[in-house]
Amino acid sequence: MAATRVLVLNVGSTTVKFQVVDPASGGADVTDVVEDVGDGYDAAFGEVARRLTDAGLSAGDLLAVGHRVVHGGSVYSAPVVLDDDAIATIEGLSDLAPLHNPPAVAGIRAARSAYPSLPHVAVFDTAFFADLPPAAATYAVPREVAHELGLRRYGAHGTSHAYVSRTAAATAQRLGNDAARQIVLHLGGGASASAIRDGRPVETSMGLTPMEGLVMGTRSGDVDPGLVLRLLRSGRSVDEVDHLLNHDSGVLGLSGTRDFRDLEERLHAGDHDARRAFAVYVHRLRKYVGAYVAVLGGLDVLTFTAGVGEHRADLRSAVLADLAWAGIEVDPVLNASVGDGTGPWRISPDDADCLVLVVATNEEWEIARQTADLVG
């Protein structure tokens, strides 16, 4: 095998997910995960190397290693080849993504040790949103404070929004639809929305950190800043409030589960907390869809993606109910049949003004493509 493949890594606090991806086609020669990283990342990457060897792959078969990094702050608006200075800078941005950047940095160091002969590239979730219009990126706080602390709206899930919006535009073109004005709804454990005009984002729901915006599996999404102050004044520490809003809130906090399959079972059983959690989740989504239609001045394409967006037909129906005024309609038969075939899937009627799609996200391919573009 020629050295054209990219080893794509998504390192979490307990897992190392990895794929070997052809950046031209998106084909994955290996898709695997090392779980329960209790012995440290060096041991985990020893296991990654062993599994690649078992698959007949060595460092000589790889063009580069691409690392998913959630937050690049105001420093990184594009992928970067990793050296010691870049790693230290990413580590210094950990307060902006405390759940994600620290394990990513640990994984980068272990991966560089395991594959010292290969270029390593960081691809940032925030980079796609680096050129948000100032009106969308700016918080209404004193200018000097914003400058001192780097306070602005950065967004997240950028690799997914980039891949999905590009795929949706190509699908729309193939079907003879316009795609100048798009909304992408990335609905997984984390959830975010973006408004895309002519291929570039003009709004997104996540902000300084991945906590802002939609209701998520364990994150609160939008709350009144006064709620945070009230929690602090109640005697809770900063770390306790941080944990409460990041880990104990969202669908989990409202219903007792973060798993939408479990939530759906409880809904069908008539569970009150499940009904309320679903209603709050849907309401927040509908509010963002309406706002983004206004920002864009109309809508050509709306796309659902990620685990919840791709697999929950009932949620898609609820979010888009009674939106014919915006040209948005859902065909119930097409919506229920998503998953048959390879996708993308159209779930709107042929004659609807707005094309509604379900696209399976492929962040690994996007990371591989950006990595290969950078290293040549």
Side-chain angles (χ1 to χ4, degrees), residues 92-317:
L93 297 168
S94 291
D95 61 329
L96 295 175
L99 303 183
H100 301 93
N101 274 32
V105 168
I108 288 168
R109 289 182 171 135
R112 288 181 81 207
S113 178
Y115 294 98
S117 64
L118 294 174
H120 290 250
V121 173
V123 178
F124 299 94
D125 277 10
T126 52
F128 184 60
F129 300 109
D131 60 352
L132 277 178
T138 304
Y139 286 115
V141 298
R143 297 185 301 271
E144 60 276 10
V145 176
H147 179 74
E148 174 192 356
L149 299 178
L151 304 180
R152 57 153 287 173
R153 301 187 66 251
Y154 292 103
H157 295 149
T159 52
S160 178
H161 286 276
Y163 172 82
V164 170
S165 61
R166 190 171 61 250
T167 302
T171 303
Q173 183 179 28
R174 187 172 69 250
L175 296 174
N177 291 72
D178 291 330
R181 301 167 298 180
Q182 292 192 52
I183 292 174
V184 175
L185 301 177
H186 175 108
L187 308 179
S192 59
S194 66
I196 312 289
R197 180 182 290 119
D198 296 324
R200 295 303 307 163
V202 296
E203 247 298 1
T204 191
S205 57
M206 287 180 168
L208 175 71
T209 74
M211 201 191 312
E212 185 180 349
L214 304 176
V215 176
M216 306 176 217
T218 66
R219 297 183 195 132
S220 64
D222 293 336
V223 296
D224 181 347
L227 180 150
V228 179
L229 298 176
R230 183 169 177 82
L231 288 169
L232 290 169
R233 288 169 179 152
S234 72
R236 293 171 173 84
S237 69
V238 171
D239 287 343
E240 287 172 333
V241 173
D242 189 319
H243 192 279
L244 183 149
L245 295 176
N246 268 304
H247 296 280
D248 298 334
S249 297
V251 174
L252 174 65
L254 291 171
S255 70
T257 182
R258 58 179 294 178
D259 188 325
F260 261 76
R261 292 165 298 187
D262 186 24
L263 186 72
E264 188 172 25
E265 291 179 5
R266 295 188 188 187
L267 279 169
H268 292 158
D271 182 272
H272 170 76
D273 290 336
R275 286 201 305 269
R276 181 177 61 174
F278 187 80
V280 171
Y281 189 94
V282 168
H283 177 82
R284 185 76 56 83
L285 272 166
R286 287 172 60 84
K287 185 166 71 169
Y288 269 86
V289 169
Y292 286 3
V293 170
V295 167
L296 292 167
L299 190 61
D300 300 310
V301 184
L302 185 146
T303 307
F304 289 89
T305 192
V308 175
E310 293 169 25
H311 299 296
R312 303 260 71 89
D314 56 338
L315 174 71
R316 295 192 296 264
S317 295

Side-chain angles (χ1 to χ4, degrees), residues 1-5 60-62:
M1 182 188 298
T4 59
R5 268 52 173 175
D61 299 311
L62 301 174

Side-chain angles (χ1 to χ4, degrees), residues 5-48:
R5 268 52 173 175
V6 175
L7 173 59
V8 176
L9 299 172
N10 185 350
V11 179
S13 57
T14 61
T15 62
V16 175
K17 299 176 183 177
F18 63 99
Q19 288 191 9
V20 177
V21 181
D22 179 349
S25 69
D29 299 306
V30 175
T31 298
D32 208 342
V33 58
V34 177
E35 303 201 54
D36 300 323
V37 187
D39 294 328
Y41 291 100
D42 288 333
F45 276 94
E47 179 64 16
V48 170

